[in-house]
Amino acid sequence: MTMRDIRIIGDPVLRTPSEPITSFDAELRSLVTDLMDTLLGKPGRAGVAAPQIGVNAQVFVYDADGHRGHMINPTLDLSDELQDDDEGCLSIPGLYFPTPRALHATAHGFDQHGEPLTIAGSGFLARALQHETDHLHGRLYVDTLRGDIRRRALREIRAGRFDSPRR
């Protein structure tokens, strides 16, 4: 089991759009295994994207609402209906803010062998798919916040008011 360190806000890899996967090889399968080990290595985690472990690649793993898996080179179809629940991030540990997301999401991409893959979900699974896909585009959940909530989140991040464990 290989648990990798989680990169924390301020690390440039978290703000860099990830490169699409073009080789579905043993190296990719090893990355998916490391991501899953990192996800499952501590309870309560819903997803880990490759940039969060310092890898510039469009791949993430998830474990949400009884669904567990991985997605490579995802694209999303989102509903117009919204949810607005608290959201957090391993890369900004300990901070949670009400974050607007689509209530329903369908992710299209590939599995680690290059086979087409579609995952559809509502509620927490939809939130996780959106959150992890954002990571692959260099976005963090705090980027979607608005108004007073955004100001409060940025103030707490600047003040370093988040937990610092990295694994």
Side-chain angles (χ1 to χ4, degrees), residues 76 78 83 101-102 105 125-134:
L76 293 177
L78 303 173
Q83 57 177 312
R101 295 283 188 182
L125 178 58
R127 179 175 294 280
L129 294 172
Q130 293 168 78
H131 180 108
E132 300 308 326
T133 299
D134 276 356

Side-chain angles (χ1 to χ4, degrees), residues 135-150:
H135 274 300
L136 305 182
H137 297 286
R139 294 188 302 256
L140 298 171
Y141 84 97
V142 293
D143 299 334
T144 68
L145 303 177
R146 299 288 176 254
D148 289 339
I149 293 171
R150 179 174 174 80

